[in-house]
Amino acid sequence: MMDGYQVIAVVIVLTTLLNYLNRRILKLHPTIGMMLAGILVAVGVVVVGRFNHEIPRRVSLWIANLNFNDLVLKGLLGFLLFAGARHINLKRMVTRLWPIGVFALGGVVVSAFVIGFVFAWLSSMLNLGLSFLDCLLFGAIISPTDPIAVLSILKKVGAPKNLEMDIEGESLFNDGIGVVMFIVVGRVMINPENIHMRTVIGLFGLEALGGIALGWVLGYVASRLIKSSQDIKTQLLVTLCIATGGYQLADVLHMSGPLAMVVAGIIVGNHEDWIEPTCREHMDSFWDIVDEVGNAILFMLVGLELLLVAREVLPEWHTCIMAGLLAIPVVLIARYLSVFAPWLVLRRKFKFSHGVLVIMTWGGLRGGLPLAMALCIPTPDVQVATFHVARSQTLDRAMLLLMTYLVVAFSIFAQGLTITPLVRHFTGGETEE
């Protein structure tokens, strides 16, 4: 069994090699290329396992011991959201605050409930064995979108600034809202008798509003500390303190760490004009590297997680694959409805780019966060032992895992590889101030 340092070393070496191969051979967008490389490694392990049955078992055990959900939800997510939020233009965001807020909240809540109702109906029709709360939990897991791949494409093709802001702001905030909804639905499922609507609203409010308030405080304090020191090393340490200690503080206070990191990142990023240009360049370079390396590691691990997912779904793979294939169109329809409803309300007051509904629907890529949340679902044995759930009422973790993985894979490969011509088709020649 490898210790923590050895695991980190293997992850970094493997990420570096796969990233190098992608840039030299595959030449795909880093998000797409790293996930594909991870999947190819996973398939390679299975092929080698035909000659040595111990190898897939040992690699699967190593991946399981890596604790992907903790690595993402309590590690990488805070860094990635803080790094991404630093580039948000606060003045421009304020002008699009209503669209971003409504898209972010609606994009998760509306999408989750649409998925919950539609999949509950499909489950009863096809005897998949999923209850409405199971399907709602899947909706909360799969609804958050990943802004990274699409935003780089939007910038490359010169998409309108308002479209960039709507997608970037929505994606950053709905990651936090998605985690909050996942936590709330999970608590309702564990103890449904003692949970009432007022309690649910209170939990959601504490997690979401508390996280936003904490992020504002952390961002303001960090900005003042950065301003008072012109030493770049000290300034970098302050931002690292926010991304690590601030995220853990939110967890201790039962507030949303992702939302806290988004708000803190926005505030810090928009007050960096307080520091000297040279220091700001170093700060930007540092966090750009953190962002790129963190995402490379994340999507490489998403690819490798195929080994773990395949191992869990093997006993019921026919049903799981059918459910996963059904989930793809259901998630896309729910995404469209969750974008269409806010657009219908806001279009008279705010200007939207041509094709915004199609671009935001097809460009709503899913990343590592949904898979991390799906992996947080306890195994049936843990559900029975820890939460005293009847064996007949346990969550089908294997099915939810494969449904999530197939949607993420389709999103990254099918949507990610075709979003460029789609954006060019709708936004070619369009400009916005």
Side-chain angles (χ1 to χ4, degrees):
M1 186 71 67
M2 291 191 291
D3 60 28
Y5 179 79
Q6 289 173 321
V7 169
I8 293 171
V10 170
V11 169
I12 292 175
V13 170
L14 191 56
T15 300
T16 303
L17 290 174
L18 294 179
N19 188 53
Y20 177 82
L21 291 173
N22 175 51
R23 292 184 182 276
R24 288 297 302 270
I25 300 172
L26 300 176
K27 297 183 179 178
L28 296 171
H29 186 279
T31 297
I32 300 168
M34 288 304 294
M35 184 171 174
L36 178 60
I39 289 175
L40 291 176
V41 170
V43 172
V45 169
V46 173
V47 171
V48 172
R50 304 278 293 182
F51 306 98
N52 185 342
H53 297 299
E54 275 295 298
I55 291 177
R57 188 188 69 80
R58 289 186 178 183
V59 175
S60 297
L61 186 62
W62 173 75
I63 295 171
N65 288 335
L66 192 60
N67 205 335
F68 182 81
N69 55 304
D70 277 354
L71 178 65
V72 175
L73 291 177
K74 296 182 180 179
L76 281 175
L77 188 60
F79 287 95
L80 295 180
L81 290 177
F82 183 84
R86 287 182 61 258
H87 296 293
I88 291 278
N89 185 310
L90 186 58
K91 291 180 180 178
R92 185 175 288 277
M93 190 190 78
V94 169
T95 65
R96 305 292 294 179
L97 195 58
W98 274 104
I100 290 171
V102 176
F103 277 135
L105 187 61
V108 174
V109 177
V110 173
S111 173
F113 275 95
V114 170
I115 292 169
F117 281 111
V118 173
F119 228 92
W121 176 74
L122 288 173
S123 177
S124 63
M125 291 284 291
L126 302 172
N127 295 318
L128 297 177
L130 297 173
S131 69
F132 170 69
L133 279 178
D134 298 340
C135 298
L136 182 61
L137 185 68
F138 173 67
I141 287 170
I142 205 63
S143 291
T145 57
D146 190 304
I148 298 147
V150 171
L151 284 175
S152 62
I153 292 167
L154 291 174
K155 289 180 171 65
K156 192 179 296 182
V157 300
K161 295 298 181 184
N162 283 351
L163 179 61
E164 281 187 35
M165 180 55 65
D166 288 345
I167 293 178
E168 186 172 25
E170 182 231 0
S171 299
L172 286 169
F173 278 99
N174 77 10
D175 275 0
I177 293 171
V179 173
V180 171
M181 188 167 183
F182 173 74
I183 292 169
V184 171
V185 174
R187 290 181 186 175
V188 171
M189 294 181 75
I190 291 169
N191 193 12
E193 294 84 6
N194 298 324
I195 298 288
H196 306 287
M197 184 56 68
R198 187 169 57 186
T199 310
V200 171
I201 294 172
L203 285 171
F204 198 93
L206 176 63
E207 288 275 349
L209 298 179
I212 291 171
L214 178 62
W216 186 87
V217 172
L218 292 172
Y220 179 77
V221 171
S223 297
R224 304 303 298 186
L225 291 174
I226 289 171
K227 182 183 179 182
S228 66
S229 171
Q230 291 304 318
D231 175 50
I232 183 58
K233 295 177 182 177
T234 303
Q235 292 168 343
L236 286 174
L237 284 173
V238 170
T239 56
L240 279 172
C241 177
I242 297 299
T244 51
Y247 197 87
Q248 296 305 313
L249 177 62
D251 186 54
V252 170
L253 297 175
H254 301 291
M255 296 175 180
S256 172
L259 286 175
M261 291 303 98
V262 170
V263 174
I266 291 172
I267 293 174
V268 170
N270 281 271
H271 283 94
E272 285 178 0
D273 55 348
W274 289 351
I275 62 179
E276 293 179 357
T278 305
C279 293
R280 188 161 60 247
E281 288 175 13
H282 286 303
M283 184 85 74
D284 288 340
S285 298
F286 174 80
W287 280 105
D288 285 346
I289 291 171
V290 169
D291 195 25
E292 185 167 344
V293 171
N295 277 292
I297 291 173
L298 175 61
F299 283 96
M300 181 273 294
L301 291 174
V302 169
L304 289 175
E305 285 293 327
L306 177 62
L307 276 174
L308 191 62
V309 173
R311 192 178 180 187
E312 289 204 32
V313 304
L314 195 59
E316 48 176 334
W317 67 273
H318 288 95
T319 308
C320 290
I321 288 177
M322 180 175 66
L325 293 176
L326 284 171
I328 293 170
V330 170
V331 169
L332 283 172
I333 292 168
R335 171 65 179 170
Y336 180 83
L337 293 175
S338 70
V339 173
F340 177 76
W343 173 82
L344 202 60
V345 174
L346 297 168
R347 63 176 177 166
R348 294 181 182 177
K349 188 173 181 180
F350 296 92
K351 181 182 177 182
F352 291 98
S353 299
H354 179 56
V356 63
L357 295 178
V358 177
I359 293 171
M360 290 189 75
T361 299
W362 196 250
L365 306 187
R366 272 69 185 180
L369 178 60
L371 190 58
M373 289 193 286
L375 286 164
C376 284
I377 299 171
T379 62
D381 290 340
V382 172
Q383 293 176 52
V384 172
T386 306
F387 303 113
H388 310 293
V389 178
R391 178 67 65 173
S392 60
Q393 297 177 337
T394 56
L395 278 170
D396 194 335
R397 172 183 154 104
M399 185 177 293
L400 293 176
L401 262 178
L402 189 63
M403 287 164 61
T404 303
Y405 198 93
L406 287 181
V407 172
V408 170
F410 177 86
S411 168
I412 295 299
F413 296 126
Q415 295 171 236
L417 289 171
T418 56
I419 189 65
T420 300
L422 186 73
V423 172
R424 286 198 174 119
H425 172 75
F426 282 107
T427 65
E430 182 181 353
T431 58
E432 279 180 18
E433 295 300 325

